[in-house]
Amino acid sequence: DIAAAAAILDTKLATISTAGKVDGAALTGLASIPAGAGVIPTANVPAGTGFAQLGETVLASANNVISVASFAARKSLIIELDWPVSSNLNAFDITFNSDVGANYAVRRSTNGAADTTSTAAAAIDSRTSTAGSGGQMRMFIDNRSASIKKVILITMGDNGSGTAPGREEVVGAWNNTAAQITTITITGAAGNTFPIGTRMTVYGPSD
């Protein structure tokens, strides 16, 4: 046996890689987790400590639809959509849990112009003014089961330093008070296609 007072330098010890040989209690802080250890599973993140990735889809080929399906239900969601330069993408429609009924309401403004609205709509739509650009969208959702799902999103399209980016601010609602959102589908409007490499990521709180 090695005496407790031996004070062996850690440089003399081999890396322990066998599963179960190091107890989780030996980690005294998140800073102690090696960078190469991988992603901490959502189930192991303490409640209330922040957002974790719930799901992600990256298109391997051009498509007019991108979705993230069957992710864990959470009381709030953040969705990121990023797409490379596309020849025609500047309009798409967002639906939840495959509902394409007249259950959505929308208010939007493009590049600071006067608001336009839609009621009893089949989707929450977003339109940038910059076709043929790369772009991104950020969406925030109150996803409590018994409440109408409230949505805030902003979309931008960018053609580089020679053209001012286009933007659209949207608020919307999904009139469902029976279920939480666990599937998000974004469909390009007529003639709009998401290019290869388009990425949609869904985040939610750990509790």
Side-chain angles (χ1 to χ4, degrees):
D1 294 338
I2 300 174
I8 301 173
L9 295 175
D10 59 5
T11 56
K12 302 297 184 180
L13 300 175
T15 299
I16 299 173
S17 57
T18 305
K21 292 299 183 181
V22 178
D23 191 280
L27 296 175
T28 57
L30 291 178
S32 301
I33 301 176
V39 178
I40 301 174
T42 302
N44 294 344
V45 178
T49 58
F51 277 61
Q53 182 176 308
L54 303 179
E56 182 175 74
T57 296
V58 181
L59 293 183
S61 59
N63 202 313
N64 75 319
V65 177
I66 185 169
S67 66
V68 177
S70 302
F71 52 81
R74 293 291 187 266
K75 64 185 178 182
S76 57
L77 300 170
I78 297 174
I79 294 86
E80 298 181 345
L81 177 69
D82 294 274
W83 63 92
V85 172
S86 169
S87 62
N88 62 358
L89 180 65
N90 72 330
F92 45 80
D93 300 322
I94 304 161
T95 57
F96 306 126
N97 293 5
S98 303
D99 181 5
V100 292
N103 296 314
Y104 302 86
V106 187
R107 178 180 294 273
R108 69 188 74 75
S109 173
T110 302
N111 293 332
D115 289 358
T116 59
T117 61
S118 300
T119 57
I124 294 174
D125 60 297
S126 181
R127 307 288 186 263
T128 73
S129 62
T130 320
S133 66
Q136 60 179 283
M137 181 202 71
R138 297 294 180 268
M139 179 164 50
F140 306 88
I141 303 174
D142 179 352
N143 195 33
R144 299 172 194 273
S145 181
S147 301
I148 292 174
K149 308 307 179 285
K150 297 176 284 292
V151 178
I152 300 172
L153 70 89
I154 184 166
T155 304
M156 65 86 67
D158 182 23
N159 262 329
S161 61
T163 304
R167 78 175 191 276
E168 183 176 61
E169 294 100 1
V170 177
V171 292
W174 180 41
N175 188 23
N176 183 306
T177 58
Q180 289 178 285
I181 296 168
T182 56
T183 295
I184 297 175
T185 304
I186 304 181
T187 304
N192 283 253
T193 301
F194 296 104
I196 295 172
T198 297
R199 179 187 305 269
M200 181 162 69
T201 311
V202 178
Y203 301 93
S206 54
D207 56 347

mmCIF file of all heavy atoms in Angstrom, residues 45-68:
data_model
loop_
_atom_site.group_PDB
_atom_site.id
_atom_site.type_symbol
_atom_site.label_atom_id
_atom_site.label_comp_id
_atom_site.label_asym_id
_atom_site.label_seq_id
_atom_site.Cartn_x
_atom_site.Cartn_y
_atom_site.Cartn_z
ATOM 1 N N VAL A 45 -27.385 18.361 -15.489
ATOM 2 C CA VAL A 45 -27.235 19.786 -15.194
ATOM 3 C C VAL A 45 -28.235 20.154 -14.108
ATOM 4 O O VAL A 45 -29.444 19.938 -14.274
ATOM 5 C CB VAL A 45 -27.483 20.647 -16.442
ATOM 6 C CG1 VAL A 45 -27.361 22.123 -16.098
ATOM 7 C CG2 VAL A 45 -26.485 20.283 -17.536
ATOM 8 N N PRO A 46 -27.801 20.679 -12.961
ATOM 9 C CA PRO A 46 -28.732 20.995 -11.876
ATOM 10 C C PRO A 46 -29.822 21.953 -12.327
ATOM 11 O O PRO A 46 -29.593 22.838 -13.156
ATOM 12 C CB PRO A 46 -27.825 21.649 -10.823
ATOM 13 C CG PRO A 46 -26.452 21.132 -11.123
ATOM 14 C CD PRO A 46 -26.405 20.975 -12.614
ATOM 15 N N ALA A 47 -31.021 21.783 -11.788
ATOM 16 C CA ALA A 47 -32.158 22.634 -12.137
ATOM 17 C C ALA A 47 -31.839 24.091 -11.870
ATOM 18 O O ALA A 47 -31.250 24.436 -10.842
ATOM 19 C CB ALA A 47 -33.393 22.207 -11.351
ATOM 20 N N GLY A 48 -32.229 24.952 -12.829
ATOM 21 C CA GLY A 48 -32.073 26.385 -12.636
ATOM 22 C C GLY A 48 -30.692 26.923 -12.930
ATOM 23 O O GLY A 48 -30.422 28.094 -12.667
ATOM 24 N N THR A 49 -29.799 26.103 -13.483
ATOM 25 C CA THR A 49 -28.429 26.575 -13.700
ATOM 26 C C THR A 49 -28.168 27.071 -15.116
ATOM 27 O O THR A 49 -27.046 27.407 -15.448
ATOM 28 C CB THR A 49 -27.424 25.449 -13.371
ATOM 29 O OG1 THR A 49 -27.718 24.314 -14.198
ATOM 30 C CG2 THR A 49 -27.502 25.046 -11.913
ATOM 31 N N GLY A 50 -29.191 27.105 -15.976
ATOM 32 C CA GLY A 50 -28.970 27.638 -17.306
ATOM 33 C C GLY A 50 -29.627 26.800 -18.377
ATOM 34 O O GLY A 50 -30.359 25.851 -18.094
ATOM 35 N N PHE A 51 -29.360 27.163 -19.643
ATOM 36 C CA PHE A 51 -29.960 26.484 -20.785
ATOM 37 C C PHE A 51 -29.007 25.421 -21.329
ATOM 38 O O PHE A 51 -27.795 25.577 -21.283
ATOM 39 C CB PHE A 51 -30.287 27.497 -21.884
ATOM 40 C CG PHE A 51 -31.595 28.207 -21.680
ATOM 41 C CD1 PHE A 51 -31.820 28.996 -20.561
ATOM 42 C CD2 PHE A 51 -32.621 28.083 -22.604
ATOM 43 C CE1 PHE A 51 -33.023 29.641 -20.362
ATOM 44 C CE2 PHE A 51 -33.832 28.724 -22.417
ATOM 45 C CZ PHE A 51 -34.033 29.505 -21.297
ATOM 46 N N ALA A 52 -29.605 24.356 -21.860
ATOM 47 C CA ALA A 52 -28.843 23.285 -22.488
ATOM 48 C C ALA A 52 -29.451 22.978 -23.852
ATOM 49 O O ALA A 52 -30.634 23.247 -24.085
ATOM 50 C CB ALA A 52 -28.853 22.035 -21.616
ATOM 51 N N GLN A 53 -28.646 22.428 -24.753
ATOM 52 C CA GLN A 53 -29.153 22.070 -26.070
ATOM 53 C C GLN A 53 -30.106 20.889 -25.960
ATOM 54 O O GLN A 53 -29.793 19.859 -25.385
ATOM 55 C CB GLN A 53 -27.992 21.725 -26.998
ATOM 56 C CG GLN A 53 -28.415 21.374 -28.411
ATOM 57 C CD GLN A 53 -27.230 21.125 -29.322
ATOM 58 O OE1 GLN A 53 -26.320 21.945 -29.416
ATOM 59 N NE2 GLN A 53 -27.219 19.982 -29.990
ATOM 60 N N LEU A 54 -31.299 21.050 -26.559
ATOM 61 C CA LEU A 54 -32.309 19.991 -26.560
ATOM 62 C C LEU A 54 -32.326 19.214 -27.866
ATOM 63 O O LEU A 54 -32.756 18.058 -27.903
ATOM 64 C CB LEU A 54 -33.696 20.582 -26.309
ATOM 65 C CG LEU A 54 -33.889 21.393 -25.024
ATOM 66 C CD1 LEU A 54 -35.313 21.931 -24.952
ATOM 67 C CD2 LEU A 54 -33.558 20.552 -23.796
ATOM 68 N N GLY A 55 -31.881 19.838 -28.942
ATOM 69 C CA GLY A 55 -31.876 19.164 -30.235
ATOM 70 C C GLY A 55 -31.296 20.061 -31.306
ATOM 71 O O GLY A 55 -31.245 21.291 -31.148
ATOM 72 N N GLU A 56 -30.867 19.461 -32.412
ATOM 73 C CA GLU A 56 -30.278 20.233 -33.503
ATOM 74 C C GLU A 56 -30.408 19.458 -34.809
ATOM 75 O O GLU A 56 -30.321 18.229 -34.831
ATOM 76 C CB GLU A 56 -28.798 20.514 -33.222
ATOM 77 C CG GLU A 56 -28.116 21.352 -34.280
ATOM 78 C CD GLU A 56 -26.688 21.706 -33.912
ATOM 79 O OE1 GLU A 56 -25.815 20.808 -33.981
ATOM 80 O OE2 GLU A 56 -26.451 22.857 -33.534
ATOM 81 N N THR A 57 -30.624 20.197 -35.889
ATOM 82 C CA THR A 57 -30.642 19.629 -37.229
ATOM 83 C C THR A 57 -29.752 20.473 -38.131
ATOM 84 O O THR A 57 -29.835 21.706 -38.105
ATOM 85 C CB THR A 57 -32.069 19.604 -37.810
ATOM 86 O OG1 THR A 57 -32.886 18.738 -37.007
ATOM 87 C CG2 THR A 57 -32.077 19.100 -39.247
ATOM 88 N N VAL A 58 -28.888 19.811 -38.905
ATOM 89 C CA VAL A 58 -28.046 20.480 -39.904
ATOM 90 C C VAL A 58 -28.343 19.818 -41.251
ATOM 91 O O VAL A 58 -28.240 18.593 -41.382
ATOM 92 C CB VAL A 58 -26.553 20.356 -39.576
ATOM 93 C CG1 VAL A 58 -25.720 21.083 -40.620
ATOM 94 C CG2 VAL A 58 -26.256 20.901 -38.176
ATOM 95 N N LEU A 59 -28.728 20.622 -42.235
ATOM 96 C CA LEU A 59 -29.094 20.065 -43.538
ATOM 97 C C LEU A 59 -27.865 19.590 -44.312
ATOM 98 O O LEU A 59 -26.924 20.347 -44.520
ATOM 99 C CB LEU A 59 -29.845 21.099 -44.374
ATOM 100 C CG LEU A 59 -31.235 21.507 -43.874
ATOM 101 C CD1 LEU A 59 -31.875 22.481 -44.867
ATOM 102 C CD2 LEU A 59 -32.136 20.290 -43.678
ATOM 103 N N ALA A 60 -27.912 18.326 -44.746
ATOM 104 C CA ALA A 60 -26.840 17.775 -45.563
ATOM 105 C C ALA A 60 -27.080 18.026 -47.045
ATOM 106 O O ALA A 60 -26.186 17.831 -47.869
ATOM 107 C CB ALA A 60 -26.718 16.272 -45.307
ATOM 108 N N SER A 61 -28.291 18.469 -47.389
ATOM 109 C CA SER A 61 -28.619 18.839 -48.760
ATOM 110 C C SER A 61 -29.678 19.933 -48.712
ATOM 111 O O SER A 61 -30.384 20.099 -47.701
ATOM 112 C CB SER A 61 -29.140 17.633 -49.547
ATOM 113 O OG SER A 61 -30.297 17.085 -48.950
ATOM 114 N N ALA A 62 -29.804 20.694 -49.782
ATOM 115 C CA ALA A 62 -30.787 21.781 -49.814
ATOM 116 C C ALA A 62 -32.194 21.212 -49.653
ATOM 117 O O ALA A 62 -32.524 20.146 -50.170
ATOM 118 C CB ALA A 62 -30.676 22.548 -51.123
ATOM 119 N N ASN A 63 -33.031 21.950 -48.919
ATOM 120 C CA ASN A 63 -34.397 21.479 -48.666
ATOM 121 C C ASN A 63 -35.252 22.686 -48.335
ATOM 122 O O ASN A 63 -34.749 23.683 -47.801
ATOM 123 C CB ASN A 63 -34.402 20.481 -47.514
ATOM 124 C CG ASN A 63 -35.611 19.572 -47.522
ATOM 125 O OD1 ASN A 63 -36.741 20.032 -47.673
ATOM 126 N ND2 ASN A 63 -35.385 18.284 -47.360
ATOM 127 N N ASN A 64 -36.534 22.613 -48.612
ATOM 128 C CA ASN A 64 -37.388 23.735 -48.250
ATOM 129 C C ASN A 64 -37.972 23.579 -46.852
ATOM 130 O O ASN A 64 -38.740 24.424 -46.397
ATOM 131 C CB ASN A 64 -38.522 23.925 -49.272
ATOM 132 C CG ASN A 64 -39.605 22.880 -49.135
ATOM 133 O OD1 ASN A 64 -39.311 21.709 -48.917
ATOM 134 N ND2 ASN A 64 -40.854 23.288 -49.286
ATOM 135 N N VAL A 65 -37.576 22.506 -46.137
ATOM 136 C CA VAL A 65 -38.043 22.279 -44.770
ATOM 137 C C VAL A 65 -36.859 21.925 -43.874
ATOM 138 O O VAL A 65 -35.979 21.151 -44.267
ATOM 139 C CB VAL A 65 -39.082 21.133 -44.707
ATOM 140 C CG1 VAL A 65 -39.498 20.854 -43.259
ATOM 141 C CG2 VAL A 65 -40.298 21.466 -45.543
ATOM 142 N N ILE A 66 -36.859 22.485 -42.663
ATOM 143 C CA ILE A 66 -35.917 22.056 -41.622
ATOM 144 C C ILE A 66 -36.710 21.962 -40.326
ATOM 145 O O ILE A 66 -37.576 22.805 -40.049
ATOM 146 C CB ILE A 66 -34.718 23.022 -41.494
ATOM 147 C CG1 ILE A 66 -33.700 22.468 -40.483
ATOM 148 C CG2 ILE A 66 -35.145 24.443 -41.134
ATOM 149 C CD1 ILE A 66 -32.362 23.212 -40.500
ATOM 150 N N SER A 67 -36.449 20.933 -39.535
ATOM 151 C CA SER A 67 -37.200 20.755 -38.294
ATOM 152 C C SER A 67 -36.321 20.101 -37.241
ATOM 153 O O SER A 67 -35.343 19.417 -37.556
ATOM 154 C CB SER A 67 -38.456 19.907 -38.527
ATOM 155 O OG SER A 67 -38.105 18.585 -38.876
ATOM 156 N N VAL A 68 -36.692 20.341 -35.987
ATOM 157 C CA VAL A 68 -36.132 19.603 -34.856
ATOM 158 C C VAL A 68 -37.332 18.991 -34.147
ATOM 159 O O VAL A 68 -38.237 19.717 -33.708
ATOM 160 C CB VAL A 68 -35.328 20.506 -33.906
ATOM 161 C CG1 VAL A 68 -34.822 19.700 -32.714
ATOM 162 C CG2 VAL A 68 -34.157 21.149 -34.636
#
